[in-house]
Amino acid sequence: MSLIHELLKARYGADIPNVGANGNTTAATLINHRSVRNCLPDKLDAGVLELLVAAAQSAATASNIQAWSMVAVEAPARETRRATLARNQAHIITAPLLLVWVADVSRLRRIASLLGEAAPELDFLESFLVAVTDASIAARSAATAAESLGLGTVYSGALRDQPEKVAEELKLPQGAFPLFGLVVGKPAPAKPSAAKPRLPQSVVPHREQYSTAGEEAGIAAYKPLIQKFNTSQNLPFMDWKSLPVGHVKNAEVPGGRARLVESLSNLGYTVD
Ligand SMILES: Cc1cc2nc3c(=O)[nH]c(=O)nc-3n(C[C@H](O)[C@H](O)[C@H](O)COP(=O)(O)O)c2cc1C
């Protein structure tokens, strides 16, 4: 069985025989993704950060306005900084690099100001969405580049627990909102990560028009797969269906994320 079909089996619990991959290594890297939370503390090789940045900057960006920024955090006092940046998550403290991805209209405002122009459009919700989309696509490109080098990555939404503190720590200007982090490091060989199964293709993608016809059966088929994965990873038993619902109802949703509109406003975005 070729690599791509082995990866598909790990992802879906079953092969997709008609997949057209032809030995494509980029597709294999994408399908082989897994979050790596056990990294070695070793510094990354020289030039890796620059390569990740080049991959990120090469991503498509709406109208080429490049409405994102990234702050690379590898400073020696990192434990204190990362407590603020990532709620003390152990894998973030251990890893040598944390990239913080920022939805950033501040640069565009500065450019407009240099030109002596008013740019009220930058206050529209649309501008925030453009910045979020640009930053997310750029981050994904950096993550793929890292994975193609054999490095491990894991995103971190934890910094949205306290966006103002993160902005202060990173000296972000008004109009720059920290969205999420991306931890990068060399995977610890002793604790390899596995590919987490996904819902079947009968559920998530749609052809021509949205349809829920295969949804219930697909979700039912997913249950044993994800449970097997959780058991193999020593994770608690949890019916996947309760996860999204639990997320919404979860009293544990950190305070900061429940008041994001206020944070956005404090950090210079208008979202109404
Ligand atoms: C925007 C975003 C934020 C995330 N935040 C966290 C986080 O704070 N902590 C964590 O351990 N994993 C985090 N993750 C990783 C997800 O839990 C993970 O991608 C998901 O469970 C699927 O697993 P996989 O990446 O191994 O396929 C985040 C992922 C994304 C895309």
Side-chain angles (χ1 to χ4, degrees):
M1 189 181 263
S2 73
L3 173 65
I4 205 100
H5 291 282
E6 274 174 31
L7 297 175
L8 286 166
K9 252 192 110 181
R11 183 63 68 204
Y12 293 113
D15 190 14
I16 303 180
N18 67 344
V19 147
N22 272 338
N24 182 297
T25 52
T26 306
T29 299
L30 290 168
I31 298 170
N32 197 25
H33 160 78
R34 71 268 326 264
S35 290
V36 174
R37 297 183 181 81
N38 292 300
C39 277
L40 302 173
D42 310 9
K43 263 187 91 79
L44 300 179
D45 295 343
V48 166
L49 178 58
E50 288 77 3
L51 182 79
L52 303 190
V53 170
Q57 288 197 277
S58 302
T61 146
S63 307
N64 198 27
I65 62 171
Q66 307 174 54
W68 62 275
S69 291
M70 181 275 284
V71 182
V73 177
E74 29 177 8
R78 62 183 192 222
E79 292 203 15
T80 336
R81 302 189 74 189
R82 289 179 188 196
T84 306
L85 299 177
R87 225 186 333 132
N88 274 323
Q89 289 185 83
H91 58 271
I92 299 176
I93 292 166
T94 316
L97 180 63
L98 171 69
L99 306 178
V100 179
W101 299 88
V102 178
D104 191 3
V105 296
S106 77
R107 185 167 45 242
L108 296 166
R109 284 186 185 148
R110 289 191 293 279
I111 293 169
S113 157
L114 274 179
L115 296 173
E117 300 270 355
E121 297 78 6
L122 292 175
D123 290 338
F124 294 173
L125 176 58
E126 166 66 4
S127 294
F128 178 61
L129 288 180
V130 163
V132 172
T133 313
D134 269 13
S136 304
I137 292 172
R140 176 64 230 193
S141 291
T144 303
E147 289 178 344
S148 77
L149 298 175
L151 296 171
T153 68
V154 59
Y155 294 91
S156 170
L159 47 75
R160 284 197 311 281
D161 295 4
Q162 37 185 7
E164 290 94 338
K165 277 197 180 169
V166 171
E168 194 186 334
E169 174 65 37
L170 301 180
K171 297 206 181 330
L172 301 183
Q174 285 278 297
F177 187 86
L179 292 172
F180 53 84
L182 181 71
V183 177
V184 184
K186 295 180 185 162
K191 292 184 179 166
S193 307
K196 191 182 280 188
R198 294 291 195 264
L199 289 164
Q201 292 203 357
S202 57
V203 176
V204 177
H206 305 267
R207 302 262 174 134
E208 312 302 342
Q209 291 188 314
Y210 197 105
S211 160
T212 56
E215 189 167 274
E216 256 183 63
I219 292 175
Y222 185 55
K223 183 174 169 177
L225 264 186
I226 191 70
Q227 283 175 354
K228 193 169 156 207
F229 172 87
N230 285 349
T231 309
S232 74
Q233 300 295 301
N234 294 322
L235 293 169
F237 172 89
M238 184 189 269
D239 183 351
W240 175 83
K241 274 190 286 187
S242 62
L243 188 68
V245 180
H247 240 62
V248 178
K249 289 183 14 185
N250 199 343
E252 204 200 295
V253 167
R257 298 196 218 181
R259 45 169 286 278
L260 274 182
V261 172
E262 191 187 327
S263 294
L264 279 164
S265 163
N266 287 340
L267 296 178
Y269 273 99
T270 313
V271 288
D272 52 21

